[in-house]
Structures are given as structure tokens and as C-alpha cells.
């Protein structure tokens, strides 16, 4: 019938034109006087381009009004199960899927491992976008570099590629929670579980964050680890008593030089060090020196106070797979002081500390201003093995610290100046040096002038006598 009519176009909104002959062919099948014989091939639907869905619905509606059957049109799959059900030619409800919820970072990291699998079979895999086109995202590797990984996508590995059986891995969000899901054809539960475990193993074998310096911050309802730029700090930058350095060495040796011996004898290699001392004595600085020394062989995780209060359990979950770690917990007073007993965060904190002891290769360094204010439970052996008091510098220490912060060639008797500053902390001495430079310029420094700044107390942040406002 179509051949006897002049060809016309049906114009759809937005100028989507469909040749009327295609439409007519479809309608003629739907409207044929004789019912469509059983077993006859489905009428071929024309491609209506951008208006596919709307045009087909219109044709179907016309046919339905005329009481004619309309063949089901194969609609684009919307979900991974739908896509895979068709691919594997099974009912989607019989597919096996095993999902794991995780933090966004951990999901991205698994996606990174998934990308490694894809790279092994680039010509064989098919990628589907649940709910639309597959999406990719950048995984931050620190140092200004990032790598593209699947963000919302399902990757199909045909039989004989990743596994003997066909499997698929989906990176997606379920009710907003980042997930990784493994799919297999019916009956593949243990395979699906293996796929997830293998993916984690691939990640752990080549973890892009291992050996880096990471910051642990709250995000997306859990803790997120992100690489941070770390300024190198060496022992020469911080002046501390020799016996303190020996304790630091002993602490580190638990996962470095003495690690294998400890393990061979059945000991755990995890250790906790608590640095106690008044503000400004260099505790934070010391943690950064330890971080610099251990980063590389160990992954360093710097923990913010908020994580300390809320996400400790999740934190230790998250660092699994990063290999040996140094975890730096600053100012634990906020969760672990005597008054916090009974708080959930206090209990969680202790649990998390205890949790590390059951796993190997986690060094925890914490700092506090006032160890006496800490709940005794925190100081129980087995939580922190060593508590080091970081003292304010003695005369020799003060001299060395002043030398660090004054211009090296300044004609200043630093030993004499240091003798006026008994009890001053490293942070105080830095301020004496800085204030002297501000007042007199680096060339104008003399013993008398620096001594004057030191003894006047002008360097102290307390309000200065007199009203300047
Ligand atoms: N022993 C030291 N040797 C060299 N510099 C020091 C020393 N102590 C402190 N400083 C200087 O003071 C700065 C502040 O010290 P830091 O932040 O490490 O103190 P803190 O003990 O962590 O104090 P808080 O308890 O307030 O956190 C350091 O960055 C460093 O410049
Ligand atoms: Mg500090």
C-alpha cells in the first residue's frame, strides 16, 4: 500500500523527520485485515531517531485503538540486570549479584582495579551505563596527577576472559551509597563473591595510595582518604633530646628492622606511641619527621579531629589493604579525656585502638597536651605501648633551636640569649627569632637586641600593656 502513495514525511517536534513509508509499513502490519499469523517474524520497527520512544508509543496507541496487537519493542535496557539478562539470555531475576557498600574513595579505588582488568581484555569487554551512558571519574593520585576510572558503569567480561564463566562488575550508587557489585549467571554465588574478593586483591597488589601521605577527613557519611602534599621534615629540623629519638627509633623498628623477627616469634608488629607535652614543644613537628621517614615503605594517614571523634572504626576499616601504615592522631584529648568516658566516640576510639592490635603493621602516633587529663583506659599498656613526654628544650636545646630560626651568620650569642629563656618552648623560641627579625631586620640583629626581645616578653602573644586600640 505504501508504494501506491506519494512519499511524505511526518514532522515531529524539534524537526525530527521520519520517512512516512517506514511508518506506513509498520501501520500496515498492525492494521492488516488478517491477524498476524503465529510464528510470523515481528514487524520491523523503523528507527525514529531522537523521537524513537514517542513515535513508537504513538504508533502503538493507534494500533491499540484499532484493536490490533502490537509487538513488544525491545526497549534499551535500563539496569545492569536487564542488560546482563539479555546478554546471557536468562531471566534477569535469576541473575546472581553480590554487592559491597563502601566509601567513595574505596569505590574509586576498586574502580581503578577494575580498570586494570579491563586493560587486560580491552577488545573483549563491553561496558554499559546503568540508567544512561557509562560515566568515568578521576581518581586523585596526589602530586597533581589523577587517573580516569569507571564511575557509573557495568563491565561485562565474557567467558574465557577474566574467568571461565562470564561475569560482570558494576560500579554504581545504590540509594546514594557507593557500591561495587559482581554479577554472574544463575548459580554463580561463590563466583560472584570471588570476583569481589579478587578485585580487592588486585587493588591491594597495586594500591595507588600505598606508600603515600593521606589525609583522613569525613565525607559522604564516612571517612574519605585523599592524598595530600607533604612537606619533607627531617630530624635536623626539630631539636629533641637524644633519648627521645631512641624511643622513636624503637617504635619505628616494629614495622621496619625488627618486623620479621617479631612476626617469626608470633608477636604483633602494631605499636602505639603517645607524645605528651605542653603546646609548642614540637610534637606535631616530630610526627611529621616520623611521617617523612616512614612514607614509602609505609602509608601515612593523617587524621583530623573530626574523624577522631566520629569515624575511628571506619578509619581502620579503610586503611586495610594499604599495607603497613603510620596513623597520626593529633590531640586525642578531645575524645579521650577523663570527662569523655561514656561517650560513644570514646568507646569507639578505644575499640579502634584495640582493633589495630589485632592487625599487623599499623603504627599509631598520637599527641596530647596533658596526659594526666586522659582517661586511664587510654594509657593502659596494649593501647599505647610507649608514652613519651616531650619536654621543653633545655639550655643546649634552646640554643640549637634559636640557631635554626635566626640567620646563620647573625652576630648573636645565642647561648646567652637562650639562658634568658628558661622554660620557653620551641614555638616560643621561633617567635623570639621572628620578632627580632621583624623589629631589626636580618642584618640589624645583635646579641643585645635579640636578648632585649627575649627578656622583654614582647614575643608573647599575651596582650601588650598599654591600649593600642
Ligand atoms: N623542639 C623543636 N625544635 C625545633 N622547632 C620547634 C620545636 N618545638 C617547636 N618548634 C617550632 O614550633 C612550631 C610549633 O610546634 P608544634 O606544632 O610541633 O608544637 P606542638 O607540640 O604540636 O604544639 P600543640 O600542642 O599546640 O599542637 C614547629 O613548627 C616548629 O617550627
Ligand atoms: Mg600539635
Amino acid at each position: 500500500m505504501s508504494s501506491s502513495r506519494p512519499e511524505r514525511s511526518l514532522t515531529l517536534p524539534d524537526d525530527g523527520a521520519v520517512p512516512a513509508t517506514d511508518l506506513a509499513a509498520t501501520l500496515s502490519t498492525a492494521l492488516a485485515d488478517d491477524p498476524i499469523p503465529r510464528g510470523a517474524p515481528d514487524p520491523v520497527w523503523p528507527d525514529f531517531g531522537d523521537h524513537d520512544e514517542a513515535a513508537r508509543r504513538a504508533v502503538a496507541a493507534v494500533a491499540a485503538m484499532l484493536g490490533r496487537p502490537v509487538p513488544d519493542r525491545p526497549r534499551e535496557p535500563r539496569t545492569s540486570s536487564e542488560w546482563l539478562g539479555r546478554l546471557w539470555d536468562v531471566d534477569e531475576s535469576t541473575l546472581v549479584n553480590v554487592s559491597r557498600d563502601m566509601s567513595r574513595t574505596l569505590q574509586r579505588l576498586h574502580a581503578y582495579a577494575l580498570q586494570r582488568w579491563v586493560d587486560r581484555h580491552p577488545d573483549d569487554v563491553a561496558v554499559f551505563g546503568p540508567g544512561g551512558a557509562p560515566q568515568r571519574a578521576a581518581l586523585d593520585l596526589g602530586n597533581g596527577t589523577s587517573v580516569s576510572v569507571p564511575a557509573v558503569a557495568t563491565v561485562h567480561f565474557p567467558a574465557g576472559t577474566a574467568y571461565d564463566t562470564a561475569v560482570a562488575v558494576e560500579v554504581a550508587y545504590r540509594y546514594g551509597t557507593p557500591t561495587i557489585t559482581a554479577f554472574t549467571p544463575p548459580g554463580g554465588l561463590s563466583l560472584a563473591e570471588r570476583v569481589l574478593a579478587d578485585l580487592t586483591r588486585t587493588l591491594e597488589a597495586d594500591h595507588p595510595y600505598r606508600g603515600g601521605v593521606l589525609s583522613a577527613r569525613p565525607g559522604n557519611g564516612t571517612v574519605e582518604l585523599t592524598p595530600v602534599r607533604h612537606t619533607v621534615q627531617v630530624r635536623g629540623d626539630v631539636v629533641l633530646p637524644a633519648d627521645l629519638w631512641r624511643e622513636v627509633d624503637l617504635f619505628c623498628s616494629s614495622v621496619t628492622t625488627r618486623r620479621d623477627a617479631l612476626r617469626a616469634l608470633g608477636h604483633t608488629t602494631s605499636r602505639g606511641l603517645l607524645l605528651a607535652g605542653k603546646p609548642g614543644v614540637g610534637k606535631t613537628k616530630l610526627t611529621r619527621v616520623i611521617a617523612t621517614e616512614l612514607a614509602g615503605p609505609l602509608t601515612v594517614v593523617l587524621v583530623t579531629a573530626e574523624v577522631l571523634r566520629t569515624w575511628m572504626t571506619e578509619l581502620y576499616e579503610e586503611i586495610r589493604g594499604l599495607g603497613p601504615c603510620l596513623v597520626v592522631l593529633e590531640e586525642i584529648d578531645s575524645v579521650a579525656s577523663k570527662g569523655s568516658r561514656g561517650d560513644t566516640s570514646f568507646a569507639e576510639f578505644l575499640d579502634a585502638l584495640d582493633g589495630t592490635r589485632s592487625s599487623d603493621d599499623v603504627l599509631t602516633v598520637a599527641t596530647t597536651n596533658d596526659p594526666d587529663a586522659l582517661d586511664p583506659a587510654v594509657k593502659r599498656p596494649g593501647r599505647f605501648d610507649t608514652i613519651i613526654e616531650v619536654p621543653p628544650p633545655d639550655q643546649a636545646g634552646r640554643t640549637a633551636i634559636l640557631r635554626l630560626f635566626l640567620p646563620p651568620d647573625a652576630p648573636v650569642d645565642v647561648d646567652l640569649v637562650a639562658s634568658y629563656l628558661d622554660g620557653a618552648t620551641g614555638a616560643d623560641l621561633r617567635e623570639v627569632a621572628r620578632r627580632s627579625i621583624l623589629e631589626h631586620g636580618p642584618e640589624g640583629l645583635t646579641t643585645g637586641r635579640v636578648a632585649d626581645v627575649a627578656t622583654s616578653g614582647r614575643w608573647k602573644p599575651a596582650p601588650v600593656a598599654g591600649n593600642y586600640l
Side-chain angles (χ1 to χ4, degrees), residues 7 15 21 44 52 61 95 101 109 121 164 191 257 270 289 295 307 315 357 367 379 395 412 446 463:
E7 180 156 326
D15 298 333
T21 43
V44 179
D52 203 63
L95 292 182
D101 293 355
L109 288 164
H121 311 282
D164 292 343
L191 175 61
T257 51
S270 291
V289 174
V307 169
L315 173 72
R357 312 320 299 253
T367 69
K379 295 181 278 182
Q395 170 67 22
V412 176
T446 62

Side-chain angles (χ1 to χ4, degrees), residues 237-240 277-286 330-331 369 401 404-405 425-427 430:
D237 295 334
V238 53
V239 178
L240 293 169
K278 60 188 226 177
V281 289
K283 301 180 297 295
T284 298
K285 189 102 172 163
L286 173 57
E330 287 257 39
E331 287 163 32
N369 283 328
I401 295 172
L404 276 181
F405 293 116
T425 63
R430 183 182 64 174

